[in-house]
Amino acid sequence: MKRFSLILSYLFSVVGFLVTLGMCAALPLLGIERIATVPNAAHSAAFVYPLSFLILLLVLGSDICLFLLLNSISKDRFFTQRSVSLLSEISWASVIAGILAIPLFFLFIREALFISFVALFLGSVLRVVAEVIRKANAIKEENDATI
């Protein structure tokens, strides 16, 4: 069962990576369609595209970190400093993406506010999990040194 769960996680990670790459490729086409429906929104396209690409790059980086974290888990090396740093990188990328998505709401992408709150919440939760794993790693190292 553990192996199935790990394979499923790998699959979701790879699919997420490919979907994000596809979004990077399709963003100009989707943006042109959206901008065409909003009057006087063409001037904001110069701001929306770079910001959207930056958010997608953060998502790609997080997905790569998630894949590396899954590799560590598959090798039973979860309580390590590397896992803590990977979780921290994912959480910071999520928080930064959430903050960067807020201006998109004020332009014309109404869904960006929901995405922003989800990303900020996820980043906060992952930050707490990273801190718990860091403390568990410290306790594990102390126990290993004692024995």
Side-chain angles (χ1 to χ4, degrees), residues 77-95:
R77 290 183 288 182
F78 189 65
F79 294 107
T80 62
Q81 187 57 37
R82 183 171 189 244
S83 296
V84 173
S85 66
L86 287 170
L87 272 173
S88 294
E89 290 172 14
I90 294 170
S91 71
W92 282 116
S94 181
V95 167

PDB file of all heavy atoms in Angstrom, residues 77-95:
ATOM      1  N   ARG A  77      14.319   8.464   3.967  1.00  0.00           N
ATOM      2  CA  ARG A  77      15.145   9.541   4.534  1.00  0.00           C
ATOM      3  C   ARG A  77      14.292  10.802   4.650  1.00  0.00           C
ATOM      4  O   ARG A  77      14.556  11.805   3.995  1.00  0.00           O
ATOM      5  CB  ARG A  77      16.352   9.795   3.642  1.00  0.00           C
ATOM      6  CG  ARG A  77      17.358   8.675   3.667  1.00  0.00           C
ATOM      7  CD  ARG A  77      18.541   9.011   2.836  1.00  0.00           C
ATOM      8  NE  ARG A  77      18.109   8.937   1.423  1.00  0.00           N
ATOM      9  CZ  ARG A  77      18.898   9.137   0.394  1.00  0.00           C
ATOM     10  NH1 ARG A  77      20.141   9.438   0.585  1.00  0.00           N
ATOM     11  NH2 ARG A  77      18.448   9.048  -0.831  1.00  0.00           N
ATOM     12  N   PHE A  78      13.265  10.704   5.484  1.00  0.00           N
ATOM     13  CA  PHE A  78      12.358  11.839   5.596  1.00  0.00           C
ATOM     14  C   PHE A  78      12.811  12.841   6.655  1.00  0.00           C
ATOM     15  O   PHE A  78      12.768  14.036   6.449  1.00  0.00           O
ATOM     16  CB  PHE A  78      10.943  11.355   5.907  1.00  0.00           C
ATOM     17  CG  PHE A  78       9.937  12.453   5.824  1.00  0.00           C
ATOM     18  CD1 PHE A  78       9.680  13.063   4.615  1.00  0.00           C
ATOM     19  CD2 PHE A  78       9.277  12.884   6.942  1.00  0.00           C
ATOM     20  CE1 PHE A  78       8.754  14.093   4.524  1.00  0.00           C
ATOM     21  CE2 PHE A  78       8.359  13.907   6.871  1.00  0.00           C
ATOM     22  CZ  PHE A  78       8.092  14.505   5.658  1.00  0.00           C
ATOM     23  N   PHE A  79      13.279  12.353   7.791  1.00  0.00           N
ATOM     24  CA  PHE A  79      13.702  13.242   8.864  1.00  0.00           C
ATOM     25  C   PHE A  79      15.158  13.659   8.673  1.00  0.00           C
ATOM     26  O   PHE A  79      16.031  13.309   9.462  1.00  0.00           O
ATOM     27  CB  PHE A  79      13.500  12.567  10.229  1.00  0.00           C
ATOM     28  CG  PHE A  79      12.057  12.341  10.551  1.00  0.00           C
ATOM     29  CD1 PHE A  79      11.514  11.079  10.511  1.00  0.00           C
ATOM     30  CD2 PHE A  79      11.250  13.408  10.876  1.00  0.00           C
ATOM     31  CE1 PHE A  79      10.188  10.872  10.797  1.00  0.00           C
ATOM     32  CE2 PHE A  79       9.910  13.215  11.170  1.00  0.00           C
ATOM     33  CZ  PHE A  79       9.375  11.942  11.126  1.00  0.00           C
ATOM     34  N   THR A  80      15.392  14.420   7.609  1.00  0.00           N
ATOM     35  CA  THR A  80      16.720  14.924   7.316  1.00  0.00           C
ATOM     36  C   THR A  80      16.651  16.430   7.089  1.00  0.00           C
ATOM     37  O   THR A  80      15.569  16.994   6.881  1.00  0.00           O
ATOM     38  CB  THR A  80      17.304  14.260   6.051  1.00  0.00           C
ATOM     39  OG1 THR A  80      16.467  14.582   4.938  1.00  0.00           O
ATOM     40  CG2 THR A  80      17.400  12.748   6.202  1.00  0.00           C
ATOM     41  N   GLN A  81      17.793  17.049   7.117  1.00  0.00           N
ATOM     42  CA  GLN A  81      17.849  18.490   6.873  1.00  0.00           C
ATOM     43  C   GLN A  81      17.441  18.816   5.436  1.00  0.00           C
ATOM     44  O   GLN A  81      16.859  19.865   5.175  1.00  0.00           O
ATOM     45  CB  GLN A  81      19.261  19.017   7.166  1.00  0.00           C
ATOM     46  CG  GLN A  81      19.387  20.507   7.107  1.00  0.00           C
ATOM     47  CD  GLN A  81      18.444  21.220   8.058  1.00  0.00           C
ATOM     48  OE1 GLN A  81      18.196  20.765   9.164  1.00  0.00           O
ATOM     49  NE2 GLN A  81      17.905  22.349   7.630  1.00  0.00           N
ATOM     50  N   ARG A  82      17.736  17.913   4.517  1.00  0.00           N
ATOM     51  CA  ARG A  82      17.348  18.131   3.116  1.00  0.00           C
ATOM     52  C   ARG A  82      15.828  18.183   2.964  1.00  0.00           C
ATOM     53  O   ARG A  82      15.293  19.023   2.239  1.00  0.00           O
ATOM     54  CB  ARG A  82      17.926  17.030   2.239  1.00  0.00           C
ATOM     55  CG  ARG A  82      17.618  17.233   0.773  1.00  0.00           C
ATOM     56  CD  ARG A  82      18.400  16.252  -0.084  1.00  0.00           C
ATOM     57  NE  ARG A  82      18.263  16.600  -1.479  1.00  0.00           N
ATOM     58  CZ  ARG A  82      17.671  15.832  -2.379  1.00  0.00           C
ATOM     59  NH1 ARG A  82      17.182  14.667  -2.019  1.00  0.00           N
ATOM     60  NH2 ARG A  82      17.576  16.218  -3.621  1.00  0.00           N
ATOM     61  N   SER A  83      15.127  17.298   3.652  1.00  0.00           N
ATOM     62  CA  SER A  83      13.663  17.312   3.599  1.00  0.00           C
ATOM     63  C   SER A  83      13.100  18.603   4.166  1.00  0.00           C
ATOM     64  O   SER A  83      12.150  19.181   3.630  1.00  0.00           O
ATOM     65  CB  SER A  83      13.092  16.124   4.373  1.00  0.00           C
ATOM     66  OG  SER A  83      13.462  14.918   3.779  1.00  0.00           O
ATOM     67  N   VAL A  84      13.699  19.052   5.253  1.00  0.00           N
ATOM     68  CA  VAL A  84      13.263  20.313   5.857  1.00  0.00           C
ATOM     69  C   VAL A  84      13.487  21.471   4.894  1.00  0.00           C
ATOM     70  O   VAL A  84      12.603  22.320   4.705  1.00  0.00           O
ATOM     71  CB  VAL A  84      14.001  20.559   7.192  1.00  0.00           C
ATOM     72  CG1 VAL A  84      13.696  21.935   7.742  1.00  0.00           C
ATOM     73  CG2 VAL A  84      13.630  19.499   8.207  1.00  0.00           C
ATOM     74  N   SER A  85      14.641  21.503   4.244  1.00  0.00           N
ATOM     75  CA  SER A  85      14.912  22.602   3.314  1.00  0.00           C
ATOM     76  C   SER A  85      13.999  22.536   2.089  1.00  0.00           C
ATOM     77  O   SER A  85      13.550  23.574   1.593  1.00  0.00           O
ATOM     78  CB  SER A  85      16.384  22.620   2.906  1.00  0.00           C
ATOM     79  OG  SER A  85      16.709  21.484   2.157  1.00  0.00           O
ATOM     80  N   LEU A  86      13.700  21.337   1.593  1.00  0.00           N
ATOM     81  CA  LEU A  86      12.786  21.206   0.462  1.00  0.00           C
ATOM     82  C   LEU A  86      11.374  21.670   0.833  1.00  0.00           C
ATOM     83  O   LEU A  86      10.726  22.403   0.071  1.00  0.00           O
ATOM     84  CB  LEU A  86      12.744  19.768  -0.042  1.00  0.00           C
ATOM     85  CG  LEU A  86      13.970  19.282  -0.803  1.00  0.00           C
ATOM     86  CD1 LEU A  86      13.910  17.782  -1.039  1.00  0.00           C
ATOM     87  CD2 LEU A  86      14.114  20.030  -2.110  1.00  0.00           C
ATOM     88  N   LEU A  87      10.908  21.283   2.020  1.00  0.00           N
ATOM     89  CA  LEU A  87       9.597  21.748   2.477  1.00  0.00           C
ATOM     90  C   LEU A  87       9.585  23.260   2.673  1.00  0.00           C
ATOM     91  O   LEU A  87       8.597  23.930   2.355  1.00  0.00           O
ATOM     92  CB  LEU A  87       9.208  21.056   3.781  1.00  0.00           C
ATOM     93  CG  LEU A  87       8.482  19.733   3.641  1.00  0.00           C
ATOM     94  CD1 LEU A  87       8.312  19.078   4.992  1.00  0.00           C
ATOM     95  CD2 LEU A  87       7.148  19.911   2.979  1.00  0.00           C
ATOM     96  N   SER A  88      10.678  23.803   3.175  1.00  0.00           N
ATOM     97  CA  SER A  88      10.763  25.257   3.349  1.00  0.00           C
ATOM     98  C   SER A  88      10.722  25.978   2.011  1.00  0.00           C
ATOM     99  O   SER A  88      10.052  27.007   1.871  1.00  0.00           O
ATOM    100  CB  SER A  88      12.037  25.625   4.096  1.00  0.00           C
ATOM    101  OG  SER A  88      11.999  25.135   5.405  1.00  0.00           O
ATOM    102  N   GLU A  89      11.423  25.437   1.018  1.00  0.00           N
ATOM    103  CA  GLU A  89      11.404  26.049  -0.313  1.00  0.00           C
ATOM    104  C   GLU A  89      10.008  26.004  -0.932  1.00  0.00           C
ATOM    105  O   GLU A  89       9.563  26.988  -1.526  1.00  0.00           O
ATOM    106  CB  GLU A  89      12.414  25.348  -1.228  1.00  0.00           C
ATOM    107  CG  GLU A  89      13.845  25.632  -0.866  1.00  0.00           C
ATOM    108  CD  GLU A  89      14.835  24.790  -1.641  1.00  0.00           C
ATOM    109  OE1 GLU A  89      14.436  24.173  -2.650  1.00  0.00           O
ATOM    110  OE2 GLU A  89      16.001  24.730  -1.238  1.00  0.00           O
ATOM    111  N   ILE A  90       9.321  24.891  -0.756  1.00  0.00           N
ATOM    112  CA  ILE A  90       7.957  24.788  -1.277  1.00  0.00           C
ATOM    113  C   ILE A  90       7.047  25.779  -0.573  1.00  0.00           C
ATOM    114  O   ILE A  90       6.223  26.450  -1.208  1.00  0.00           O
ATOM    115  CB  ILE A  90       7.425  23.346  -1.136  1.00  0.00           C
ATOM    116  CG1 ILE A  90       8.215  22.391  -2.021  1.00  0.00           C
ATOM    117  CG2 ILE A  90       5.942  23.279  -1.494  1.00  0.00           C
ATOM    118  CD1 ILE A  90       7.917  20.921  -1.768  1.00  0.00           C
ATOM    119  N   SER A  91       7.199  25.900   0.741  1.00  0.00           N
ATOM    120  CA  SER A  91       6.321  26.813   1.485  1.00  0.00           C
ATOM    121  C   SER A  91       6.593  28.270   1.115  1.00  0.00           C
ATOM    122  O   SER A  91       5.650  29.043   0.930  1.00  0.00           O
ATOM    123  CB  SER A  91       6.480  26.605   2.994  1.00  0.00           C
ATOM    124  OG  SER A  91       7.729  27.073   3.443  1.00  0.00           O
ATOM    125  N   TRP A  92       7.853  28.649   0.972  1.00  0.00           N
ATOM    126  CA  TRP A  92       8.149  30.031   0.587  1.00  0.00           C
ATOM    127  C   TRP A  92       7.684  30.335  -0.830  1.00  0.00           C
ATOM    128  O   TRP A  92       7.169  31.426  -1.107  1.00  0.00           O
ATOM    129  CB  TRP A  92       9.640  30.332   0.731  1.00  0.00           C
ATOM    130  CG  TRP A  92      10.032  30.579   2.151  1.00  0.00           C
ATOM    131  CD1 TRP A  92      10.876  29.824   2.905  1.00  0.00           C
ATOM    132  CD2 TRP A  92       9.579  31.638   2.999  1.00  0.00           C
ATOM    133  NE1 TRP A  92      10.971  30.341   4.165  1.00  0.00           N
ATOM    134  CE2 TRP A  92      10.195  31.468   4.251  1.00  0.00           C
ATOM    135  CE3 TRP A  92       8.710  32.711   2.832  1.00  0.00           C
ATOM    136  CZ2 TRP A  92       9.967  32.325   5.317  1.00  0.00           C
ATOM    137  CZ3 TRP A  92       8.492  33.565   3.894  1.00  0.00           C
ATOM    138  CH2 TRP A  92       9.113  33.370   5.120  1.00  0.00           C
ATOM    139  N   ALA A  93       7.847  29.364  -1.735  1.00  0.00           N
ATOM    140  CA  ALA A  93       7.362  29.570  -3.102  1.00  0.00           C
ATOM    141  C   ALA A  93       5.849  29.726  -3.121  1.00  0.00           C
ATOM    142  O   ALA A  93       5.307  30.555  -3.862  1.00  0.00           O
ATOM    143  CB  ALA A  93       7.796  28.406  -4.000  1.00  0.00           C
ATOM    144  N   SER A  94       5.168  28.967  -2.286  1.00  0.00           N
ATOM    145  CA  SER A  94       3.708  29.070  -2.209  1.00  0.00           C
ATOM    146  C   SER A  94       3.285  30.429  -1.653  1.00  0.00           C
ATOM    147  O   SER A  94       2.354  31.058  -2.174  1.00  0.00           O
ATOM    148  CB  SER A  94       3.163  27.939  -1.335  1.00  0.00           C
ATOM    149  OG  SER A  94       1.783  27.996  -1.253  1.00  0.00           O
ATOM    150  N   VAL A  95       3.949  30.895  -0.623  1.00  0.00           N
ATOM    151  CA  VAL A  95       3.617  32.202  -0.049  1.00  0.00           C
ATOM    152  C   VAL A  95       3.895  33.323  -1.058  1.00  0.00           C
ATOM    153  O   VAL A  95       3.072  34.226  -1.246  1.00  0.00           O
ATOM    154  CB  VAL A  95       4.406  32.433   1.267  1.00  0.00           C
ATOM    155  CG1 VAL A  95       4.334  33.875   1.718  1.00  0.00           C
ATOM    156  CG2 VAL A  95       3.885  31.517   2.356  1.00  0.00           C
TER     157      VAL A  95
END
